[in-house]
Amino acid sequence: MELLYAACVGLLVFCGVFLILRSRTFPVVLGLTMLSYAVNLFLFASGRLSLNSAVILGESTKYADPLPQAFVLTAIVIGFAMTAFVVILSIRGRADLGNDHVNGHVPENIKKGRV
Amino acid sequence: MTLLWIPLLSLLGSIISSMTGKLSRNQSTTLSLIMPIIALFMCVNMAPAVFAGEEIRETISWLPLLGINIAFRLDGLALLFVFMILAIGILVIFYARYYLSKNDSMPKLYSYLMLFMTAMLGIVMSNNVIQLWFFWELTSISSFLLISYWWYKSEARKGALMALTITGGGGLALLAGLLILGNIVGSYNLDIILASKEVIQASQWYEVSLILILLGAFTKSAQFPFHFWLPHAMAAPTPVSAYLHSATMVKAGIFLLARFYPVLAGTDLWFFIVSITGLTTLLFGAYVALFKHDLKGLLAYSTISHLGLITLLFGLNTDLATVAAIFHIINHATFKASLFMATGIIDHETGTRDMRKINGMWKFMPYTATLAMVAAASMAGVPLLNGFLSKEMFFAETLHQQLLGSLSWVIPVLATVAAAFSVAYSARFIHDVFFNGDPIDLPKQPHEPPRYMRVPIEILVALCLIVGIFPNFVVDDILVSASHAVLGGYVPEFKVALWHGFNLPLLMSAFAVMGGILIYTQRRYLFLFQASLPTVNAKKSFDNAIYVLIKWSQQKINAIENGSLQRYLMLMFLVVLLAAGWPLFEMNKLVGAKELTPIGLHNALGAALLMIGAISTVIWYRTRMVSLLMISVVGLMVSVAFTRFSAPDLALTQLTVEVVTIVLLMLALFFLPQHSPRESSSMRILRDLGISSALGIVIGSICYAIITRPFESISDFFVANSKTGGGGTNVVNVILVDFRGFDTLGEICVLGIAALGIYKLLGNLPLFMPGSDSEGRPWAKERYPVLLASISQSLLPLALLVSFYIFLRGHNLPGGGFIAGLITAIAFILQYIAHGSNWIAVRLTINYRKIIGSGLAIALFTGIGSWFFDKPFMTTWFDYFDIPFIGEIELASALLFDLGVYITVVGATLMILASLGELTANTPKEEVNI
């Protein structure tokens, strides 16, 4: 199970980084979202994986590590705020610059239709 | 506390005088003079103690862990400088009253002057080297402001910039040197540093630190080859030149030499650098001064030369030379400040400073002329004046050194040559200005200045005479105590006297005077020779050097920073890859010792879904709607994973955030193109695949290595104390609102700031609104589906009830402010989706900014509340109450804090989505193309 979990984290990092390296804003935003999933899962896993042991006192005999959970909880919310900010920034960028290229302008060879 | 008050009073004076703009000139001057005069009196009061050998100290703890304290000390050397800074400062302020014209802002000059005074006082009284450096930079800044006082003149701006660049650059070197020094000793306290001579000189870093500190001193004191800023700083008003560029600021470098003399001097390196630099500057300055037609230019180069003389004395390796250096500091300050003031009068009364035009002033202003001639004679080293005494001591000490081995006799010879030039330019100053025929083309008819404008000069010239004739009565005490401080407790036997009998120094003086007069009378040949030399324009070379430097750095910046975000990100990921991947190569075994758990069907299924979602997002990333749907699968599976691995709070949060995020992204997609064009080349795709898969492998491996290793956690503390200390059984929530509540406060602040940022970003948005979808189909006519509208309306109270329940139980069961806030926000967002923001606006007028503000305020004041019970910030309180009909309930202050979190989350989330959604509501649909 640990291997599978780590593989999922690795895959999410792969997908996130690949999308972040794209040239238009929307895929970059998706990539950031994906990367923040990966980061949250990674941080969460630093408390190790445990089944049926939610940290509600009196509900079970062993408890998972609550500290990474608390950190990841706020990380999720802040991650949302950051995603929202980047999304709005990309809308603003498109409105001000007339295109949604991350560099602010579409390269010449692409404008001419050559790839 | 008295010591601290000296710089404080001067700072206060700076503030007071900056506010005297509405008052008359006399009132402004009087008010400005009060503070420095009080400070001077305090100083005089403390003087007897210092003369008796006491060192007064005051320390206020500031950052004790970093060794940075506000520390002042007053020993003999500091006292001498404090006297000079305050006394000459007072005279300069008084003088400036008559110097400035009606159009010049008097408060501006006074407040800058006193800011500078504060900085100088800070330098000489600091007992902490970091603090000393701080004041050192403050003198550079205030000198910049003072030189550029007539900001509309190009030469003033350029001169100011040049001075700032050179002295500021030297200041950086000084900082580096002082940091090294502090590192060697292990303390930034000056007392400790001054007591650690052996440690410092034994250190391998001694040379580096010495050279850096000397760089700071030499740039400030205009030593060759850094001298060129000083003549250009003469663009400042003359009172400023008199104060900064003769008496005080340029002496700061000399002060530094004196201050660190006990620990840095004594080695060959010190004597070699200091004496050679001093000698070169002495000769160079004296020679160039003769050829300057500008009165202030002559004085500037003469100042450079005299600063070189003092530096040379510090490099002569004898104790008596150090005493002579200190004596000359006093003497130079008195005669040079008075000469500058006299020059100011001449400039003021004739309208020019060109010595080729100003002639025969004796007829017009005999009184001023007498004063200036006495001061100039002192500069030349004529007997009965103070300049003579220290020059004699200087000559005597040049004879006693052995610096250059068998060539040591060169130094006294060169010193005599420099003194001859000094006599020559002094003679030129006297003869050209006050005699030498009649004035030529003066802009004004010259006459004596206002009576009181001469008073400061009279005082200074009187000092020159008194010190010159009765040296022992006036300066013995301060000279002994200052030397005591510089030489580290030992003062050699010395006697300052007018007459030492016929000896070699007297002969050297006589040679110098005769040689100087000879040079002056034969100056025509020298001038012709000088004119035939290639001219060096310091300003131009400086500008060129700066230009080349800026161009070079611009090129380097452009090479790295080409404006491509993709490139920056790629480089950043490569750095991460290296930093994170490297340790893996050094690890022997990836898998740890922890017992592994079997995979199981559910886990495998969930992982498969997550992987499919993630890969599909990448595959269809150009079709944006599809990739958005795919990524939402990933988000859902992440929240399922949280549920699976015993984190119900996280699962709830992830689920609700997921909803909000997807709604937001769909809304964003309305304003963005629906498709990404195919524009990456195959090579680029290959490269990106390489980087991202490498990163994926590295991060995945690290994750695997972590989770397969057993660990010790500090979390047992939280589990054990959650109920007893925080009053809740949901440990995650208790950590959030209690144990680490301060973190949470910071985090909701970030949330609020992000929301406000978004609000500003959306203001005045030149909106791009597509009239149809990407395939050219028009939007549906029915904007708000009836079914959704009616269901959502009935869902709202239910959703609010659920969120209330989730909020309340949060302390004991999964839930809490974050999750409840998100649920409430989603319930409202559903209304926006179903009805549009116009419909909402009629029924509900909410200012989301105020909501965010009040949420933060509640959280903050809950934290502050604990102060009223004499507890540290954010201490929580809880108790159990028995309420009829309801039973026992628990009330905790943490619940109030959680309410703040709840309100902030609701406000921020709604503000983000509603402000974006509003844009779609009112704008008429128009066909606009990219």
Side-chain angles (χ1 to χ4, degrees), chain B residues 49-78:
Chain B
V50 176
F51 289 156
E54 200 182 321
E55 287 177 5
I56 306 171
R57 286 188 175 73
E58 250 165 46
T59 307
I60 300 172
S61 213
W62 185 26
L63 297 174
L65 280 178
L66 294 178
I68 299 178
N69 296 311
I70 301 174
F72 288 98
R73 68 179 234 164
L74 191 70
D75 58 5
L77 182 68

PDB file of all heavy atoms in Angstrom, chain B residues 49-78:
ATOM      1  N   ALA B  49      34.584  64.089  34.329  1.00  0.00           N
ATOM      2  CA  ALA B  49      34.657  62.664  34.639  1.00  0.00           C
ATOM      3  C   ALA B  49      35.519  61.945  33.621  1.00  0.00           C
ATOM      4  O   ALA B  49      36.343  61.092  33.964  1.00  0.00           O
ATOM      5  CB  ALA B  49      33.263  62.065  34.689  1.00  0.00           C
ATOM      6  N   VAL B  50      35.320  62.313  32.337  1.00  0.00           N
ATOM      7  CA  VAL B  50      36.081  61.645  31.282  1.00  0.00           C
ATOM      8  C   VAL B  50      37.558  62.018  31.381  1.00  0.00           C
ATOM      9  O   VAL B  50      38.450  61.178  31.224  1.00  0.00           O
ATOM     10  CB  VAL B  50      35.516  62.009  29.898  1.00  0.00           C
ATOM     11  CG1 VAL B  50      36.359  61.394  28.795  1.00  0.00           C
ATOM     12  CG2 VAL B  50      34.083  61.536  29.780  1.00  0.00           C
ATOM     13  N   PHE B  51      37.820  63.297  31.670  1.00  0.00           N
ATOM     14  CA  PHE B  51      39.216  63.731  31.824  1.00  0.00           C
ATOM     15  C   PHE B  51      39.886  62.990  32.970  1.00  0.00           C
ATOM     16  O   PHE B  51      41.084  62.728  32.945  1.00  0.00           O
ATOM     17  CB  PHE B  51      39.305  65.244  32.091  1.00  0.00           C
ATOM     18  CG  PHE B  51      38.948  66.062  30.873  1.00  0.00           C
ATOM     19  CD1 PHE B  51      38.484  67.355  30.993  1.00  0.00           C
ATOM     20  CD2 PHE B  51      39.093  65.525  29.596  1.00  0.00           C
ATOM     21  CE1 PHE B  51      38.169  68.097  29.875  1.00  0.00           C
ATOM     22  CE2 PHE B  51      38.782  66.262  28.470  1.00  0.00           C
ATOM     23  CZ  PHE B  51      38.306  67.552  28.614  1.00  0.00           C
ATOM     24  N   ALA B  52      39.077  62.635  33.975  1.00  0.00           N
ATOM     25  CA  ALA B  52      39.631  61.920  35.116  1.00  0.00           C
ATOM     26  C   ALA B  52      39.877  60.447  34.787  1.00  0.00           C
ATOM     27  O   ALA B  52      40.297  59.687  35.651  1.00  0.00           O
ATOM     28  CB  ALA B  52      38.705  62.045  36.317  1.00  0.00           C
ATOM     29  N   GLY B  53      39.594  60.062  33.570  1.00  0.00           N
ATOM     30  CA  GLY B  53      39.903  58.689  33.168  1.00  0.00           C
ATOM     31  C   GLY B  53      38.710  57.765  33.164  1.00  0.00           C
ATOM     32  O   GLY B  53      38.832  56.577  32.875  1.00  0.00           O
ATOM     33  N   GLU B  54      37.532  58.295  33.440  1.00  0.00           N
ATOM     34  CA  GLU B  54      36.345  57.445  33.474  1.00  0.00           C
ATOM     35  C   GLU B  54      35.828  57.232  32.055  1.00  0.00           C
ATOM     36  O   GLU B  54      36.001  58.085  31.179  1.00  0.00           O
ATOM     37  CB  GLU B  54      35.270  58.133  34.311  1.00  0.00           C
ATOM     38  CG  GLU B  54      34.202  57.199  34.833  1.00  0.00           C
ATOM     39  CD  GLU B  54      33.163  57.979  35.614  1.00  0.00           C
ATOM     40  OE1 GLU B  54      33.545  58.911  36.348  1.00  0.00           O
ATOM     41  OE2 GLU B  54      31.981  57.664  35.458  1.00  0.00           O
ATOM     42  N   GLU B  55      35.201  56.062  31.831  1.00  0.00           N
ATOM     43  CA  GLU B  55      34.523  55.849  30.539  1.00  0.00           C
ATOM     44  C   GLU B  55      33.053  55.625  30.836  1.00  0.00           C
ATOM     45  O   GLU B  55      32.687  54.696  31.551  1.00  0.00           O
ATOM     46  CB  GLU B  55      35.113  54.641  29.817  1.00  0.00           C
ATOM     47  CG  GLU B  55      36.490  54.932  29.259  1.00  0.00           C
ATOM     48  CD  GLU B  55      37.117  53.728  28.595  1.00  0.00           C
ATOM     49  OE1 GLU B  55      36.435  52.693  28.482  1.00  0.00           O
ATOM     50  OE2 GLU B  55      38.281  53.827  28.210  1.00  0.00           O
ATOM     51  N   ILE B  56      32.216  56.500  30.294  1.00  0.00           N
ATOM     52  CA  ILE B  56      30.790  56.404  30.601  1.00  0.00           C
ATOM     53  C   ILE B  56      30.129  55.483  29.584  1.00  0.00           C
ATOM     54  O   ILE B  56      30.369  55.592  28.386  1.00  0.00           O
ATOM     55  CB  ILE B  56      30.146  57.808  30.559  1.00  0.00           C
ATOM     56  CG1 ILE B  56      30.926  58.739  31.470  1.00  0.00           C
ATOM     57  CG2 ILE B  56      28.691  57.736  30.964  1.00  0.00           C
ATOM     58  CD1 ILE B  56      30.532  60.185  31.340  1.00  0.00           C
ATOM     59  N   ARG B  57      29.288  54.570  30.081  1.00  0.00           N
ATOM     60  CA  ARG B  57      28.637  53.610  29.174  1.00  0.00           C
ATOM     61  C   ARG B  57      27.147  53.560  29.435  1.00  0.00           C
ATOM     62  O   ARG B  57      26.708  53.729  30.570  1.00  0.00           O
ATOM     63  CB  ARG B  57      29.195  52.212  29.404  1.00  0.00           C
ATOM     64  CG  ARG B  57      30.569  52.035  28.870  1.00  0.00           C
ATOM     65  CD  ARG B  57      30.988  50.585  28.963  1.00  0.00           C
ATOM     66  NE  ARG B  57      32.281  50.436  28.337  1.00  0.00           N
ATOM     67  CZ  ARG B  57      33.413  50.869  28.857  1.00  0.00           C
ATOM     68  NH1 ARG B  57      33.400  51.472  30.038  1.00  0.00           N
ATOM     69  NH2 ARG B  57      34.551  50.727  28.227  1.00  0.00           N
ATOM     70  N   GLU B  58      26.410  53.273  28.359  1.00  0.00           N
ATOM     71  CA  GLU B  58      24.972  53.035  28.517  1.00  0.00           C
ATOM     72  C   GLU B  58      24.536  52.004  27.505  1.00  0.00           C
ATOM     73  O   GLU B  58      24.897  52.088  26.332  1.00  0.00           O
ATOM     74  CB  GLU B  58      24.195  54.333  28.292  1.00  0.00           C
ATOM     75  CG  GLU B  58      23.586  54.864  29.561  1.00  0.00           C
ATOM     76  CD  GLU B  58      23.155  56.299  29.389  1.00  0.00           C
ATOM     77  OE1 GLU B  58      22.529  56.602  28.380  1.00  0.00           O
ATOM     78  OE2 GLU B  58      23.474  57.105  30.277  1.00  0.00           O
ATOM     79  N   THR B  59      23.762  51.043  27.941  1.00  0.00           N
ATOM     80  CA  THR B  59      23.339  49.976  27.034  1.00  0.00           C
ATOM     81  C   THR B  59      21.845  49.714  27.199  1.00  0.00           C
ATOM     82  O   THR B  59      21.347  49.632  28.316  1.00  0.00           O
ATOM     83  CB  THR B  59      24.095  48.671  27.334  1.00  0.00           C
ATOM     84  OG1 THR B  59      25.479  48.963  27.319  1.00  0.00           O
ATOM     85  CG2 THR B  59      23.787  47.629  26.295  1.00  0.00           C
ATOM     86  N   ILE B  60      21.167  49.619  26.069  1.00  0.00           N
ATOM     87  CA  ILE B  60      19.765  49.190  26.094  1.00  0.00           C
ATOM     88  C   ILE B  60      19.695  47.906  25.289  1.00  0.00           C
ATOM     89  O   ILE B  60      20.119  47.855  24.145  1.00  0.00           O
ATOM     90  CB  ILE B  60      18.845  50.248  25.469  1.00  0.00           C
ATOM     91  CG1 ILE B  60      18.949  51.548  26.241  1.00  0.00           C
ATOM     92  CG2 ILE B  60      17.408  49.754  25.442  1.00  0.00           C
ATOM     93  CD1 ILE B  60      18.219  52.672  25.561  1.00  0.00           C
ATOM     94  N   SER B  61      19.198  46.851  25.918  1.00  0.00           N
ATOM     95  CA  SER B  61      19.117  45.566  25.250  1.00  0.00           C
ATOM     96  C   SER B  61      18.135  45.642  24.090  1.00  0.00           C
ATOM     97  O   SER B  61      17.023  46.126  24.255  1.00  0.00           O
ATOM     98  CB  SER B  61      18.637  44.539  26.275  1.00  0.00           C
ATOM     99  OG  SER B  61      19.211  43.331  25.986  1.00  0.00           O
ATOM    100  N   TRP B  62      18.568  45.157  22.920  1.00  0.00           N
ATOM    101  CA  TRP B  62      17.642  45.210  21.792  1.00  0.00           C
ATOM    102  C   TRP B  62      17.468  43.819  21.202  1.00  0.00           C
ATOM    103  O   TRP B  62      16.419  43.201  21.324  1.00  0.00           O
ATOM    104  CB  TRP B  62      18.157  46.213  20.748  1.00  0.00           C
ATOM    105  CG  TRP B  62      17.224  46.421  19.603  1.00  0.00           C
ATOM    106  CD1 TRP B  62      15.861  46.252  19.620  1.00  0.00           C
ATOM    107  CD2 TRP B  62      17.567  46.809  18.281  1.00  0.00           C
ATOM    108  NE1 TRP B  62      15.346  46.538  18.381  1.00  0.00           N
ATOM    109  CE2 TRP B  62      16.366  46.880  17.544  1.00  0.00           C
ATOM    110  CE3 TRP B  62      18.759  47.123  17.626  1.00  0.00           C
ATOM    111  CZ2 TRP B  62      16.331  47.243  16.210  1.00  0.00           C
ATOM    112  CZ3 TRP B  62      18.720  47.486  16.299  1.00  0.00           C
ATOM    113  CH2 TRP B  62      17.520  47.550  15.607  1.00  0.00           C
ATOM    114  N   LEU B  63      18.509  43.300  20.539  1.00  0.00           N
ATOM    115  CA  LEU B  63      18.454  41.929  20.036  1.00  0.00           C
ATOM    116  C   LEU B  63      19.625  41.185  20.673  1.00  0.00           C
ATOM    117  O   LEU B  63      20.615  40.902  20.014  1.00  0.00           O
ATOM    118  CB  LEU B  63      18.600  41.897  18.515  1.00  0.00           C
ATOM    119  CG  LEU B  63      17.519  42.572  17.692  1.00  0.00           C
ATOM    120  CD1 LEU B  63      17.899  42.577  16.218  1.00  0.00           C
ATOM    121  CD2 LEU B  63      16.201  41.846  17.869  1.00  0.00           C
ATOM    122  N   PRO B  64      19.523  40.891  21.970  1.00  0.00           N
ATOM    123  CA  PRO B  64      20.679  40.325  22.676  1.00  0.00           C
ATOM    124  C   PRO B  64      21.161  39.013  22.061  1.00  0.00           C
ATOM    125  O   PRO B  64      22.345  38.726  22.064  1.00  0.00           O
ATOM    126  CB  PRO B  64      20.165  40.122  24.105  1.00  0.00           C
ATOM    127  CG  PRO B  64      18.693  40.235  24.027  1.00  0.00           C
ATOM    128  CD  PRO B  64      18.358  41.048  22.836  1.00  0.00           C
ATOM    129  N   LEU B  65      20.237  38.224  21.477  1.00  0.00           N
ATOM    130  CA  LEU B  65      20.633  36.934  20.928  1.00  0.00           C
ATOM    131  C   LEU B  65      21.564  37.097  19.736  1.00  0.00           C
ATOM    132  O   LEU B  65      22.424  36.273  19.486  1.00  0.00           O
ATOM    133  CB  LEU B  65      19.391  36.142  20.499  1.00  0.00           C
ATOM    134  CG  LEU B  65      18.664  35.440  21.641  1.00  0.00           C
ATOM    135  CD1 LEU B  65      17.445  34.736  21.122  1.00  0.00           C
ATOM    136  CD2 LEU B  65      19.597  34.464  22.333  1.00  0.00           C
ATOM    137  N   LEU B  66      21.388  38.207  18.992  1.00  0.00           N
ATOM    138  CA  LEU B  66      22.250  38.451  17.846  1.00  0.00           C
ATOM    139  C   LEU B  66      23.429  39.328  18.234  1.00  0.00           C
ATOM    140  O   LEU B  66      24.224  39.710  17.396  1.00  0.00           O
ATOM    141  CB  LEU B  66      21.454  39.139  16.728  1.00  0.00           C
ATOM    142  CG  LEU B  66      20.357  38.305  16.090  1.00  0.00           C
ATOM    143  CD1 LEU B  66      19.623  39.114  15.049  1.00  0.00           C
ATOM    144  CD2 LEU B  66      20.958  37.079  15.433  1.00  0.00           C
ATOM    145  N   GLY B  67      23.511  39.680  19.511  1.00  0.00           N
ATOM    146  CA  GLY B  67      24.605  40.545  19.940  1.00  0.00           C
ATOM    147  C   GLY B  67      24.429  41.972  19.482  1.00  0.00           C
ATOM    148  O   GLY B  67      25.399  42.712  19.361  1.00  0.00           O
ATOM    149  N   ILE B  68      23.206  42.363  19.170  1.00  0.00           N
ATOM    150  CA  ILE B  68      22.979  43.739  18.734  1.00  0.00           C
ATOM    151  C   ILE B  68      22.246  44.486  19.833  1.00  0.00           C
ATOM    152  O   ILE B  68      21.109  44.157  20.164  1.00  0.00           O
ATOM    153  CB  ILE B  68      22.178  43.785  17.427  1.00  0.00           C
ATOM    154  CG1 ILE B  68      22.976  43.077  16.343  1.00  0.00           C
ATOM    155  CG2 ILE B  68      21.888  45.208  17.021  1.00  0.00           C
ATOM    156  CD1 ILE B  68      22.285  42.999  15.032  1.00  0.00           C
ATOM    157  N   ASN B  69      22.939  45.439  20.438  1.00  0.00           N
ATOM    158  CA  ASN B  69      22.320  46.255  21.474  1.00  0.00           C
ATOM    159  C   ASN B  69      22.504  47.716  21.117  1.00  0.00           C
ATOM    160  O   ASN B  69      23.385  48.068  20.349  1.00  0.00           O
ATOM    161  CB  ASN B  69      22.980  45.984  22.825  1.00  0.00           C
ATOM    162  CG  ASN B  69      22.755  44.565  23.258  1.00  0.00           C
ATOM    163  OD1 ASN B  69      21.630  44.077  23.221  1.00  0.00           O
ATOM    164  ND2 ASN B  69      23.822  43.896  23.630  1.00  0.00           N
ATOM    165  N   ILE B  70      21.645  48.537  21.685  1.00  0.00           N
ATOM    166  CA  ILE B  70      21.858  49.969  21.547  1.00  0.00           C
ATOM    167  C   ILE B  70      22.835  50.346  22.641  1.00  0.00           C
ATOM    168  O   ILE B  70      22.478  50.334  23.818  1.00  0.00           O
ATOM    169  CB  ILE B  70      20.532  50.727  21.692  1.00  0.00           C
ATOM    170  CG1 ILE B  70      19.566  50.238  20.616  1.00  0.00           C
ATOM    171  CG2 ILE B  70      20.748  52.222  21.596  1.00  0.00           C
ATOM    172  CD1 ILE B  70      18.191  50.801  20.740  1.00  0.00           C
ATOM    173  N   ALA B  71      24.063  50.597  22.253  1.00  0.00           N
ATOM    174  CA  ALA B  71      25.087  50.805  23.282  1.00  0.00           C
ATOM    175  C   ALA B  71      25.887  52.057  22.968  1.00  0.00           C
ATOM    176  O   ALA B  71      26.296  52.268  21.831  1.00  0.00           O
ATOM    177  CB  ALA B  71      26.008  49.601  23.337  1.00  0.00           C
ATOM    178  N   PHE B  72      26.038  52.896  23.974  1.00  0.00           N
ATOM    179  CA  PHE B  72      26.823  54.117  23.800  1.00  0.00           C
ATOM    180  C   PHE B  72      27.946  54.143  24.803  1.00  0.00           C
ATOM    181  O   PHE B  72      27.839  53.579  25.890  1.00  0.00           O
ATOM    182  CB  PHE B  72      25.944  55.348  23.982  1.00  0.00           C
ATOM    183  CG  PHE B  72      24.988  55.560  22.849  1.00  0.00           C
ATOM    184  CD1 PHE B  72      23.681  55.151  22.938  1.00  0.00           C
ATOM    185  CD2 PHE B  72      25.413  56.165  21.675  1.00  0.00           C
ATOM    186  CE1 PHE B  72      22.804  55.332  21.884  1.00  0.00           C
ATOM    187  CE2 PHE B  72      24.548  56.339  20.622  1.00  0.00           C
ATOM    188  CZ  PHE B  72      23.239  55.936  20.725  1.00  0.00           C
ATOM    189  N   ARG B  73      29.015  54.784  24.424  1.00  0.00           N
ATOM    190  CA  ARG B  73      30.092  54.976  25.382  1.00  0.00           C
ATOM    191  C   ARG B  73      30.768  56.303  25.098  1.00  0.00           C
ATOM    192  O   ARG B  73      30.761  56.813  23.981  1.00  0.00           O
ATOM    193  CB  ARG B  73      31.103  53.846  25.339  1.00  0.00           C
ATOM    194  CG  ARG B  73      31.912  53.790  24.071  1.00  0.00           C
ATOM    195  CD  ARG B  73      32.888  52.655  24.162  1.00  0.00           C
ATOM    196  NE  ARG B  73      34.246  53.104  23.919  1.00  0.00           N
ATOM    197  CZ  ARG B  73      35.313  52.393  24.243  1.00  0.00           C
ATOM    198  NH1 ARG B  73      35.177  51.261  24.885  1.00  0.00           N
ATOM    199  NH2 ARG B  73      36.519  52.812  23.966  1.00  0.00           N
ATOM    200  N   LEU B  74      31.317  56.875  26.125  1.00  0.00           N
ATOM    201  CA  LEU B  74      31.976  58.168  25.981  1.00  0.00           C
ATOM    202  C   LEU B  74      33.340  58.049  26.637  1.00  0.00           C
ATOM    203  O   LEU B  74      33.454  57.995  27.857  1.00  0.00           O
ATOM    204  CB  LEU B  74      31.141  59.260  26.659  1.00  0.00           C
ATOM    205  CG  LEU B  74      31.565  60.683  26.355  1.00  0.00           C
ATOM    206  CD1 LEU B  74      31.245  61.029  24.922  1.00  0.00           C
ATOM    207  CD2 LEU B  74      30.871  61.658  27.281  1.00  0.00           C
ATOM    208  N   ASP B  75      34.371  57.965  25.778  1.00  0.00           N
ATOM    209  CA  ASP B  75      35.724  58.037  26.326  1.00  0.00           C
ATOM    210  C   ASP B  75      36.370  59.305  25.779  1.00  0.00           C
ATOM    211  O   ASP B  75      35.705  60.123  25.161  1.00  0.00           O
ATOM    212  CB  ASP B  75      36.516  56.776  25.979  1.00  0.00           C
ATOM    213  CG  ASP B  75      36.603  56.551  24.486  1.00  0.00           C
ATOM    214  OD1 ASP B  75      36.137  57.426  23.732  1.00  0.00           O
ATOM    215  OD2 ASP B  75      37.137  55.511  24.065  1.00  0.00           O
ATOM    216  N   GLY B  76      37.679  59.448  26.004  1.00  0.00           N
ATOM    217  CA  GLY B  76      38.346  60.690  25.621  1.00  0.00           C
ATOM    218  C   GLY B  76      38.203  60.995  24.145  1.00  0.00           C
ATOM    219  O   GLY B  76      37.897  62.131  23.746  1.00  0.00           O
ATOM    220  N   LEU B  77      38.411  59.963  23.298  1.00  0.00           N
ATOM    221  CA  LEU B  77      38.343  60.193  21.858  1.00  0.00           C
ATOM    222  C   LEU B  77      36.935  60.616  21.449  1.00  0.00           C
ATOM    223  O   LEU B  77      36.749  61.569  20.683  1.00  0.00           O
ATOM    224  CB  LEU B  77      38.745  58.898  21.141  1.00  0.00           C
ATOM    225  CG  LEU B  77      38.764  58.987  19.623  1.00  0.00           C
ATOM    226  CD1 LEU B  77      39.868  59.898  19.149  1.00  0.00           C
ATOM    227  CD2 LEU B  77      38.936  57.599  19.006  1.00  0.00           C
ATOM    228  N   ALA B  78      35.938  59.882  21.982  1.00  0.00           N
ATOM    229  CA  ALA B  78      34.556  60.207  21.639  1.00  0.00           C
ATOM    230  C   ALA B  78      34.221  61.614  22.112  1.00  0.00           C
ATOM    231  O   ALA B  78      33.577  62.388  21.394  1.00  0.00           O
ATOM    232  CB  ALA B  78      33.616  59.192  22.267  1.00  0.00           C
TER     233      ALA B  78
END
